Short mmCIF file of all heavy atoms in Angstrom, two decimals:
data_model
loop_
_atom_site.label_atom_id
_atom_site.label_comp_id
_atom_site.label_asym_id
_atom_site.label_seq_id
_atom_site.Cartn_x
_atom_site.Cartn_y
_atom_site.Cartn_z
N GLU A 155 17.31 -6.67 -40.03
CA GLU A 155 17.00 -7.82 -39.26
C GLU A 155 18.15 -8.23 -38.33
O GLU A 155 17.95 -8.75 -37.27
CB GLU A 155 16.73 -9.06 -40.17
CG GLU A 155 15.40 -9.05 -40.86
CD GLU A 155 14.34 -9.66 -39.98
OE1 GLU A 155 14.63 -10.62 -39.24
OE2 GLU A 155 13.20 -9.12 -39.98
N TYR A 156 19.38 -7.99 -38.81
CA TYR A 156 20.55 -8.34 -38.05
C TYR A 156 21.10 -7.17 -37.29
O TYR A 156 22.26 -7.15 -36.82
CB TYR A 156 21.65 -8.93 -38.99
CG TYR A 156 21.31 -10.36 -39.32
CD1 TYR A 156 20.37 -10.70 -40.30
CD2 TYR A 156 21.97 -11.46 -38.62
CE1 TYR A 156 20.07 -12.02 -40.59
CE2 TYR A 156 21.64 -12.77 -38.93
CZ TYR A 156 20.68 -13.05 -39.91
OH TYR A 156 20.39 -14.36 -40.19
N GLY A 157 20.34 -6.05 -37.21
CA GLY A 157 20.71 -5.02 -36.27
C GLY A 157 21.42 -3.79 -36.79
O GLY A 157 21.82 -2.91 -36.01
N THR A 158 21.56 -3.69 -38.11
CA THR A 158 22.21 -2.51 -38.68
C THR A 158 21.13 -1.42 -38.88
O THR A 158 20.11 -1.65 -39.49
CB THR A 158 22.86 -2.80 -40.02
OG1 THR A 158 23.96 -3.70 -39.77
CG2 THR A 158 23.35 -1.52 -40.71
N THR A 159 21.38 -0.20 -38.34
CA THR A 159 20.42 0.85 -38.43
C THR A 159 20.94 1.96 -39.35
O THR A 159 20.13 2.85 -39.76
CB THR A 159 20.04 1.40 -37.06
OG1 THR A 159 21.20 1.61 -36.29
CG2 THR A 159 19.13 0.43 -36.33
N THR A 160 22.24 1.98 -39.65
CA THR A 160 22.82 2.93 -40.61
C THR A 160 23.85 2.21 -41.42
O THR A 160 24.68 1.50 -40.86
CB THR A 160 23.44 4.19 -39.92
OG1 THR A 160 22.47 4.82 -39.12
CG2 THR A 160 24.04 5.15 -40.94
N ALA A 161 23.83 2.39 -42.79
CA ALA A 161 24.84 1.79 -43.58
C ALA A 161 25.38 2.79 -44.63
O ALA A 161 24.57 3.56 -45.24
CB ALA A 161 24.26 0.58 -44.32
N GLU A 162 26.64 2.76 -44.83
CA GLU A 162 27.26 3.50 -45.92
C GLU A 162 27.00 2.75 -47.20
O GLU A 162 26.91 1.46 -47.14
CB GLU A 162 28.74 3.71 -45.66
CG GLU A 162 29.45 4.60 -46.63
CD GLU A 162 30.30 3.83 -47.62
OE1 GLU A 162 30.14 2.60 -47.74
OE2 GLU A 162 31.15 4.44 -48.28
N ALA A 163 26.86 3.40 -48.36
CA ALA A 163 26.66 2.70 -49.62
C ALA A 163 27.43 3.41 -50.75
O ALA A 163 27.31 4.64 -50.87
CB ALA A 163 25.18 2.62 -49.97
N LYS A 164 28.16 2.63 -51.48
CA LYS A 164 29.01 3.23 -52.56
C LYS A 164 28.41 2.97 -53.92
O LYS A 164 27.78 1.92 -54.15
CB LYS A 164 30.43 2.62 -52.50
CG LYS A 164 31.12 2.75 -51.17
CD LYS A 164 32.44 1.98 -51.14
CE LYS A 164 32.98 1.83 -49.71
NZ LYS A 164 33.30 3.06 -49.05
N SER A 165 28.66 3.88 -54.86
CA SER A 165 28.39 3.55 -56.25
C SER A 165 29.59 2.76 -56.73
O SER A 165 30.33 2.21 -55.89
CB SER A 165 28.26 4.86 -57.06
OG SER A 165 29.46 5.58 -57.07
N GLY A 166 29.82 2.66 -58.03
CA GLY A 166 31.05 1.99 -58.44
C GLY A 166 30.83 0.80 -59.38
O GLY A 166 31.79 0.16 -59.84
N TYR A 167 29.51 0.50 -59.68
CA TYR A 167 29.25 -0.56 -60.65
C TYR A 167 28.60 0.05 -61.90
O TYR A 167 27.95 -0.65 -62.68
CB TYR A 167 28.39 -1.67 -60.03
CG TYR A 167 29.06 -2.39 -58.92
CD1 TYR A 167 28.53 -2.37 -57.60
CD2 TYR A 167 30.21 -3.19 -59.16
CE1 TYR A 167 29.20 -3.05 -56.55
CE2 TYR A 167 30.87 -3.85 -58.12
CZ TYR A 167 30.31 -3.77 -56.87
OH TYR A 167 30.96 -4.45 -55.84
N GLY A 168 28.77 1.35 -62.06
CA GLY A 168 28.29 2.04 -63.27
C GLY A 168 29.45 2.38 -64.19
O GLY A 168 29.50 1.97 -65.33
N LEU A 169 30.45 3.05 -63.61
CA LEU A 169 31.70 3.42 -64.31
C LEU A 169 31.49 4.15 -65.62
O LEU A 169 32.36 4.14 -66.51
CB LEU A 169 32.60 2.18 -64.49
CG LEU A 169 32.90 1.28 -63.31
CD1 LEU A 169 33.85 0.19 -63.67
CD2 LEU A 169 33.37 2.09 -62.13
N ALA A 170 30.34 4.81 -65.76
CA ALA A 170 30.12 5.76 -66.80
C ALA A 170 29.21 6.84 -66.17
O ALA A 170 28.50 6.51 -65.17
CB ALA A 170 29.39 5.13 -68.00
N THR A 171 29.28 8.06 -66.64
CA THR A 171 28.61 9.15 -65.90
C THR A 171 27.15 8.84 -65.65
O THR A 171 26.68 8.93 -64.52
CB THR A 171 28.79 10.49 -66.73
OG1 THR A 171 30.18 10.68 -66.94
CG2 THR A 171 28.18 11.65 -65.90
N ARG A 172 26.44 8.46 -66.73
CA ARG A 172 25.02 8.19 -66.61
C ARG A 172 24.73 7.07 -65.55
O ARG A 172 23.80 7.17 -64.75
CB ARG A 172 24.48 7.80 -67.97
CG ARG A 172 23.01 7.82 -68.10
CD ARG A 172 22.62 7.35 -69.54
NE ARG A 172 23.02 5.94 -69.68
CZ ARG A 172 22.18 4.93 -69.82
NH1 ARG A 172 20.86 5.14 -69.82
NH2 ARG A 172 22.59 3.66 -69.93
N ASP A 173 25.51 6.06 -65.65
CA ASP A 173 25.25 4.88 -64.75
C ASP A 173 25.66 5.13 -63.29
O ASP A 173 25.00 4.64 -62.38
CB ASP A 173 26.05 3.64 -65.31
CG ASP A 173 25.54 3.27 -66.70
OD1 ASP A 173 24.39 2.82 -66.78
OD2 ASP A 173 26.28 3.43 -67.64
N GLU A 174 26.77 5.89 -63.10
CA GLU A 174 27.15 6.24 -61.76
C GLU A 174 26.08 7.10 -61.09
O GLU A 174 25.71 6.92 -59.93
CB GLU A 174 28.50 6.97 -61.71
CG GLU A 174 29.73 6.02 -61.89
CD GLU A 174 29.84 5.03 -60.73
OE1 GLU A 174 29.93 5.48 -59.56
OE2 GLU A 174 29.80 3.83 -60.98
N LEU A 175 25.55 8.06 -61.90
CA LEU A 175 24.48 8.95 -61.35
C LEU A 175 23.25 8.09 -61.06
O LEU A 175 22.56 8.28 -60.03
CB LEU A 175 24.12 10.01 -62.35
CG LEU A 175 25.22 11.07 -62.56
CD1 LEU A 175 24.85 12.08 -63.65
CD2 LEU A 175 25.48 11.89 -61.25
N LYS A 176 22.93 7.11 -61.93
CA LYS A 176 21.81 6.20 -61.69
C LYS A 176 21.95 5.48 -60.36
O LYS A 176 21.04 5.44 -59.55
CB LYS A 176 21.72 5.20 -62.84
CG LYS A 176 20.63 4.15 -62.67
CD LYS A 176 20.54 3.21 -63.87
CE LYS A 176 21.55 2.07 -63.77
NZ LYS A 176 21.35 1.01 -64.83
N LEU A 177 23.15 4.99 -60.09
CA LEU A 177 23.38 4.22 -58.85
C LEU A 177 23.22 5.12 -57.61
O LEU A 177 22.63 4.75 -56.59
CB LEU A 177 24.76 3.60 -58.80
CG LEU A 177 25.03 2.46 -59.76
CD1 LEU A 177 26.32 1.78 -59.48
CD2 LEU A 177 23.89 1.46 -59.78
N LEU A 178 23.68 6.35 -57.73
CA LEU A 178 23.55 7.29 -56.58
C LEU A 178 22.12 7.73 -56.38
O LEU A 178 21.69 7.99 -55.26
CB LEU A 178 24.46 8.50 -56.78
CG LEU A 178 25.98 8.13 -56.69
CD1 LEU A 178 26.81 9.35 -57.02
CD2 LEU A 178 26.36 7.61 -55.33
N GLU A 179 21.36 7.82 -57.52
CA GLU A 179 19.91 8.08 -57.38
C GLU A 179 19.23 6.93 -56.61
O GLU A 179 18.30 7.12 -55.83
CB GLU A 179 19.28 8.20 -58.76
CG GLU A 179 19.65 9.53 -59.47
CD GLU A 179 18.93 10.78 -58.95
OE1 GLU A 179 18.11 10.67 -58.05
OE2 GLU A 179 19.31 11.89 -59.40
N VAL A 180 19.66 5.74 -56.92
CA VAL A 180 19.13 4.53 -56.25
C VAL A 180 19.44 4.61 -54.71
O VAL A 180 18.56 4.37 -53.88
CB VAL A 180 19.69 3.20 -56.81
CG1 VAL A 180 19.33 2.00 -55.95
CG2 VAL A 180 19.20 3.01 -58.24
N VAL A 181 20.70 4.99 -54.41
CA VAL A 181 21.05 5.10 -52.96
C VAL A 181 20.17 6.17 -52.31
O VAL A 181 19.70 5.94 -51.19
CB VAL A 181 22.57 5.52 -52.87
CG1 VAL A 181 22.85 5.89 -51.44
CG2 VAL A 181 23.43 4.39 -53.34
N LYS A 182 19.91 7.24 -52.98
CA LYS A 182 19.10 8.31 -52.44
C LYS A 182 17.69 7.76 -52.17
O LYS A 182 17.07 8.05 -51.13
CB LYS A 182 19.02 9.47 -53.42
CG LYS A 182 18.31 10.71 -52.94
CD LYS A 182 18.37 11.79 -53.96
CE LYS A 182 17.45 12.95 -53.61
NZ LYS A 182 17.49 14.00 -54.67
#
Side-chain angles (χ1 to χ4, degrees):
E155 283 276 323
Y156 282 79
T158 294
T159 46
T160 300
E162 187 256 15
K164 303 173 195 297
S165 66
Y167 296 116
L169 308 186
T171 305
R172 196 182 63 112
D173 298 292
E174 283 294 303
L175 292 174
K176 176 177 84 172
L177 292 191
L178 292 174
E179 290 285 355
V180 170
V181 170
K182 184 178 172 182

